[in-house]
Amino acid sequence: MVEFNRRIKPPPFKTKTIEHIKKTTHQERKMWLEEAGYNIFNIAAENVYIDLLTDSGTSAMSDYQWAGIMMGDEAYAHCKNFFNLKDVIQDITGFKYFIPTHQGRSAENLICYAFNLTQSKVSISNQFFDTTRANIETSGAEALDLIIPEAFDPSLMYDFKGNLDCKELVKTLENQDNVALIILTITNNTGGGQPVSMQNIREVSKIAKKYTIPFFLDAARFAENAYFIKLREEKYKDLTPKEIAKKTFSYADGCIVSAKKDGLVNIGGFIALNDEKIYLKIKERMVIVEGFPTYGGLAGRDLEALARGLVEVLSEEYLEYRYNQVQYLGNSLVEGGIPILLPVGGHSVNLDARRFLPHIPQAQFPGWSLVNALYERYGVRSVELGSVMQAKKDKDGTWQYPKLELVRLAIPRRVYSQEHLNYVTDSILDLYEHRSEIFGFEITYDPGVLRHFTARFKPIK
Ligand SMILES: Cc1ncc(COP(=O)(O)O)c(C=O)c1O
């Protein structure tokens, strides 16, 4: 049993402005789901009571960030906010070059282009996020996940379930000479927001150097990862999150970042790196696809909000609050007997849909069913990280289902209160009592790539 402290510290901020949320009826939500093809992404946000679809781009900005919005310099080239952001990113990452992008996936796309990730090439990760995988695969290359086996046991308590399996990495590099890029995702979103240890980052870096493979971090949640290292790796317990983040980046050749997470902004991303040739290649490409390389698809005001968010996110008080809030939700569910992925991750609590709904086979998408039931009955929006997102056909055309079938409750940063999380817990406890009433789904429209965003479904009753 996880030790559970019901009294969590108050947040290190107070509320200055509010956004109204609306209660809707069960009947209304049932109708909206049917109209939406039972795809939660098609539900109007105003019809969601508690929105845990994602922690991406959903943060509440501070008064300091909003003040920065007014300081936006909207000059086309080399606006002053670009320089402010450059200083902050160089200070945290230590990388020589920096390029803003409008969000993480455009950074991924540019990196695939710059490293020429075309056919017969391979990129390796602990676990690729879905858009990173899609960018690599649509470029023609193979995206290979080498996560440690512990990651697949949902009830195993293990400090760094996001680690890359270094033995497998060496084995692969010994047998293949077509590996073009290693990307370590910190924290591992697909595996439930699980952290990667400094020891693992250092080891991957050493191996990458030995085999002369460029090593990048997908550092969307670099600050949360740093806080886990502080809590769980003895050697780093006296360092500040910023010192740990700096050390983390020092082992890599570059990073791609969706700033919509630990940038504490609603839009933005960036690439930072040391290799001048790759930097110039990206810059040239930027002009065609994103905009002039000093604004990267963003407004000057967005760059400023990000520069300020990146400083705020490394506050130890903030990270402690963030960690405690996510743990609080996870531990409340564990106390109520709900099967979740353990230990609780950095930005989300993940329900284990296979244990929650053992009567629904993976071919009928238990994770998807759980997401639908949570919204239909309680107005809580979550997201499936399971077979709709990750199942793949093998060479013989047989579906291969993922080992974990998760429903992610992602917690937006600085948005919801303890009372909101209590409502979510009570909803899930109630749903668990009625779990035998939940049914599976079949797909009626499958777009292929990133199908979870647009696929349509019908219930199997
Ligand atoms: C680990 C990780 N990488 C990349 C991305 C893609 O970023 P964006 O949504 O900004 O394109 C995400 C988004 O959730 C993510 O979690």
Side-chain angles (χ1 to χ4, degrees):
M1 193 71 171
V2 177
E3 199 183 312
F4 179 34
N5 182 1
R6 196 175 295 281
R7 292 175 64 84
I8 55 173
K9 277 194 195 170
F13 52 83
K14 58 185 178 176
T15 310
K16 197 192 291 272
T17 186
I18 57 129
E19 182 180 346
H20 292 282
I21 52 177
K22 183 172 89 180
K23 279 209 154 175
T24 53
T25 66
H26 187 161
Q27 241 0 44
E28 283 172 329
R29 293 190 296 266
K30 220 173 159 168
M31 178 186 77
W32 290 324
L33 272 176
E34 193 180 341
E35 284 169 8
Y38 299 94
N39 187 331
I40 205 78
F41 284 96
N42 291 336
I43 296 291
E46 66 168 351
N47 294 330
V48 176
Y49 184 47
I50 309 280
D51 203 347
L52 306 183
L53 180 72
T54 178
D55 63 320
S56 178
T58 52
S59 300
M61 292 206 295
S62 67
D63 50 359
Y64 181 60
Q65 286 177 289
W66 279 109
I69 291 275
M70 287 305 293
M71 303 301 287
D73 166 2
E74 304 307 341
Y76 186 89
H78 289 102
C79 68
K80 74 176 175 229
N81 315 105
F82 166 77
F83 294 105
N84 294 347
L85 181 55
K86 185 167 174 247
D87 286 348
V88 170
I89 290 177
Q90 275 177 347
D91 180 38
I92 297 170
T93 68
F95 295 126
K96 275 194 216 148
Y97 305 107
F98 141 73
I99 301 149
T101 62
H102 82 272
Q103 64 181 100
R105 68 199 69 182
S106 52
E108 294 158 7
N109 191 274
L110 288 158
I111 282 290
C112 288
Y113 166 79
F115 283 102
N116 198 21
L117 285 179
T118 48
Q119 241 171 8
S120 79
K121 297 275 180 58
V122 179
S123 181
I124 295 177
S125 181
N126 46 347
Q127 209 163 9
F128 285 107
F129 182 64
D130 60 357
T131 57
T132 327
R133 171 175 289 282
N135 266 301
I136 292 168
E137 289 178 348
T138 53
S139 303
E142 184 191 347
L144 179 63
D145 289 342
L146 293 181
I147 187 91
I148 52 167
E150 287 83 351
F152 297 115
D153 181 347
S155 41
L156 176 74
M157 290 299 271
Y158 190 85
D159 279 348
F160 291 102
K161 270 187 170 176
N163 282 357
L164 189 146
D165 189 331
C166 287
K167 272 197 196 136
E168 283 301 313
L169 178 62
V170 171
K171 219 159 89 190
T172 311
L173 294 176
E174 281 294 317
N175 292 316
Q176 283 177 235
D177 60 3
N178 56 349
V179 178
L181 183 63
I182 298 172
I183 303 178
L184 195 58
T185 313
I186 60 169
T187 58
N188 177 24
N189 184 2
T190 310
Q194 298 293 322
V196 180
S197 70
M198 191 71 87
Q199 194 189 339
N200 194 250
I201 295 167
R202 194 167 44 238
E203 232 174 297
V204 173
S205 169
K206 218 167 131 188
I207 297 166
K209 276 201 179 69
K210 183 174 167 199
Y211 291 86
T212 58
I213 314 285
F215 169 40
F216 270 57
L217 296 166
D218 175 345
R221 298 178 181 83
F222 73 98
E224 288 169 8
N225 201 73
Y227 194 66
F228 275 109
I229 289 174
K230 184 175 172 67
L231 294 183
R232 296 183 182 173
E233 244 174 314
E234 178 67 22
K235 215 171 135 185
Y236 300 98
K237 71 176 194 320
D238 296 324
L239 297 195
T240 64
K242 185 174 169 187
E243 286 165 337
I244 297 172
K246 277 178 168 235
K247 192 140 200 68
T248 302
F249 287 112
S250 76
Y251 289 114
D253 300 308
C255 63
I256 45 175
V257 175
S258 164
K260 297 169 72 177
K261 287 79 170 170
D262 278 349
L264 297 178
V265 287
N266 307 119
I267 194 72
F270 62 90
I271 302 170
L273 74 172
N274 283 329
D275 186 320
E276 190 181 6
K277 263 200 199 143
I278 297 287
Y279 166 65
L280 292 175
K281 208 170 159 189
I282 294 171
K283 258 178 87 173
E284 283 160 21
R285 181 76 176 168
M286 282 285 290
V287 187
I288 304 165
V289 296
E290 277 281 279
F292 192 74
T294 62
Y295 73 80
L298 295 168
R301 55 179 171 269
D302 299 325
L303 301 175
E304 189 59 35
L306 175 54
R308 295 174 181 220
L310 286 171
V311 173
E312 286 187 2
V313 80
L314 285 167
S315 141
E316 195 161 332
E317 264 193 314
Y318 159 76
L319 285 168
E320 183 191 21
Y321 144 78
R322 169 78 174 153
Y323 172 84
N324 283 345
Q325 193 187 36
V326 180
Q327 296 290 314
Y328 174 78
L329 175 62
N331 291 340
S332 312
L333 292 171
V334 170
E335 200 183 52
I338 304 297
I340 66 165
L341 174 74
L342 290 172
V344 174
H347 65 286
S348 62
V349 173
N350 293 267
L351 305 176
D352 182 352
R354 287 171 81 178
R355 281 188 291 154
F356 202 113
L357 301 175
H359 59 286
I360 302 181
Q362 269 186 296
Q364 294 178 14
F365 311 116
W368 204 263
S369 306
L370 198 44
V371 168
N372 270 272
L374 254 180
Y375 175 71
E376 184 194 303
R377 294 172 190 229
Y378 315 98
V380 175
R381 178 153 69 170
S382 55
V383 76
E384 188 242 37
L385 302 184
S387 295
V388 175
M389 187 189 265
Q390 293 163 9
K392 283 238 149 30
K393 272 191 186 159
D394 65 14
K395 282 178 206 132
D396 309 324
T398 313
W399 281 103
Q400 298 300 326
Y401 294 99
K403 290 186 184 142
L404 290 180
E405 190 77 35
L406 302 177
V407 167
R408 187 187 71 179
L409 307 161
I411 320 288
R413 293 166 182 79
R414 307 192 289 202
V415 171
Y416 288 118
S417 66
Q418 199 170 348
E419 291 93 323
H420 290 122
L421 298 187
N422 288 345
Y423 174 84
V424 173
T425 301
D426 292 344
S427 303
I428 294 170
L429 295 186
D430 189 57
L431 187 61
Y432 196 56
E433 272 186 28
H434 296 96
R435 60 192 181 278
S436 61
E437 297 162 21
I438 302 175
F439 38 79
F441 280 90
E442 73 178 89
I443 297 190
T444 55
Y445 164 68
D446 187 340
V449 178
L450 295 175
R451 64 179 180 169
H452 50 289
F453 288 125
T454 51
R456 296 183 76 84
F457 297 79
K458 75 171 189 211
I460 303 170
K461 287 192 184 164

